[in-house]
Amino acid sequence: MDKVRFLMSDTGPDVTPLCREALEQKGIEVTVVEKDGLKVLQKMLVLRPHVVLLDAFMPGLDALTVKQRYNTAGELSTAFFVTGAFQSENVIQELLDAGFSYYFVKPFDENILAARVLKAAAGRNRQPAYSSADSDEMTVTEILHQIGVPAHIKGYQFLRDGILLTMNDPDYINAVTKRLYPEIARMNNTSASRVERAIRHAIEVAWDRGDVETLNHYFGYTVHSLRGKPTNSEFIAMIADKMRLDKKRRTG
C-alpha cells in the first residue's frame, strides 16, 4: 500500500513538531501547511491526503468551509480531524455533524493522533469506500448524538469505543472491569478507572439533557425504575445489542 499521506495546518511550535515526529515514526508522510484556510485547501487539492488535521478557526477559511469546498470539488475519500483550544459543545457538535471524525482539544497526545490517522487511513483504503467498520462507527456516533452524549467530553469517545468493541465481541460485557475498561484505556492512553468514571459521567449528562422519547426508544423499561439511568454496562450492552440486531436484519 502507498504511504499514508497526512496534511495538517501548522498548530504552533509546541504541537506541530511533536506530531510530525510521532507520525513519521509510523511511516506516515507528513505535510505541514501555514495556518491559512485558503492555502490549506489549495495544498489539499494537489496532494489529496488520506487524512487531514485542521485548526477549527484559521485566517482565510475556517475548517468547516475548507471541508465543504474540498468535498464540492469531488474529493470525498479524505478523513477530516479538527483541533482547537476551546471546548464549546455547540461548535464541536456542528463540526462532528458536518463529518469531522475527531475533535482534538489542545494540547493533545501526538501518539493518539498517529493511531487515529492510521486507523482512518486503513478504513479509507478498504473497498468498498465505506466498510462495515466505517458504517458501524458512523452508526454509533449518530446514536450517541441522538441520545444526547456531548461529543467534547471524554466519556463520549470511551462509550463509542466500548460499544464497538462489545458489538464485535459480546463477551466483553461479561468482563467489563477486567477486559473492557482496560482495552478502552489502552486504546486511549489512559487508565481503566478514568474510563469507568468518564463513561458514568457521560451517561449522567445524557440522562439530564437528553430527549426522553429518544432515551425510551433505546432503553425502554429495561433500566431500573428507581435509578432511572442505566449502569455503564447496561448502556453499552443495550446499544451494542441493538446495533448488532439492526445489522443482522440489514444483511439478511
Side-chain angles (χ1 to χ4, degrees):
M1 189 181 82
D2 291 342
K3 258 193 169 186
V4 174
R5 296 187 302 277
F6 174 80
L7 180 146
M8 67 183 291
S9 55
D10 190 347
T11 57
D14 296 332
V15 177
T16 301
L18 292 174
C19 291
R20 182 190 285 276
E21 182 180 358
L23 291 157
E24 289 181 342
Q25 283 180 355
K26 300 288 187 182
I28 298 166
E29 184 180 290
V30 179
T31 300
V32 178
V33 183
E34 180 185 340
K35 188 178 171 180
D36 180 296
L38 284 168
K39 292 179 180 178
V40 167
L41 177 60
Q42 289 168 359
K43 191 67 173 179
M44 285 175 62
L45 290 169
V46 173
L47 186 64
R48 292 191 297 167
H50 297 102
V51 187
V52 299
L53 173 67
L54 306 179
D55 272 84
F57 298 106
M58 299 177 285
L61 302 172
D62 62 16
L64 185 55
T65 307
V66 169
K67 183 179 187 304
Q68 289 169 341
R69 293 194 183 180
Y70 187 74
N71 292 157
T72 300
E75 301 293 347
L76 301 173
S77 63
T78 297
F80 280 79
F81 298 165
V82 64
T83 185
F86 62 92
Q87 295 195 46
S88 165
E89 184 178 330
N90 291 335
V91 173
I92 294 170
Q93 191 67 58
E94 182 183 2
L95 290 165
L96 292 171
D97 288 344
F100 285 85
S101 301
Y102 297 101
Y103 180 85
F104 292 91
V105 180
K106 297 178 188 176
F108 54 84
D109 188 318
E110 64 275 7
N111 294 306
I112 292 178
L113 171 65
R116 297 290 185 199
V117 169
L118 288 172
K119 181 181 177 183
R124 299 283 162 163
N125 279 313
R126 286 193 295 267
Q127 295 296 329
Y130 290 101
S131 69
S132 175
D134 295 326
S135 177
D136 292 343
E137 191 158 337
M138 287 188 287
T139 300
V140 73
T141 297
E142 183 179 343
I143 290 172
L144 291 176
H145 288 173
Q146 291 174 355
I147 289 171
V149 181
H152 69 280
I153 62 177
K154 290 281 188 185
Y156 172 90
Q157 181 61 49
F158 298 161
L159 271 173
R160 186 160 68 170
D161 289 342
I163 291 166
L164 290 169
L165 286 168
T166 303
M167 182 185 171
N168 292 312
D169 182 358
D171 286 342
Y172 268 113
I173 212 65
N174 298 319
V176 171
T177 304
K178 291 185 177 179
R179 281 191 66 206
L180 185 61
Y181 293 157
E183 179 61 17
I184 297 170
R186 186 193 64 76
M187 293 167 64
N188 292 277
N189 197 30
T190 186
S191 68
S193 60
R194 286 177 179 168
V195 168
E196 188 276 332
R197 287 196 302 271
I199 288 177
R200 179 159 24 95
H201 173 65
I203 294 171
E204 287 170 355
V205 171
W207 239 251
D208 288 339
R209 302 184 189 177
D211 177 72
V212 174
E213 287 187 14
T214 303
L215 294 172
N216 283 337
H217 170 70
Y218 284 106
F219 299 99
Y221 301 101
T222 54
V223 296
H224 297 292
S225 57
L226 293 176
R227 283 190 284 123
K229 63 182 180 299
T231 64
N232 290 6
S233 57
E234 285 172 337
F235 187 102
I236 291 169
M238 283 183 248
I239 299 298
D241 285 346
K242 178 171 175 53
M243 287 180 60
R244 197 182 302 113
L245 289 170
D246 288 348
K247 188 174 183 178
K248 189 178 289 186
R249 279 196 291 267
R250 287 196 310 271
T251 57

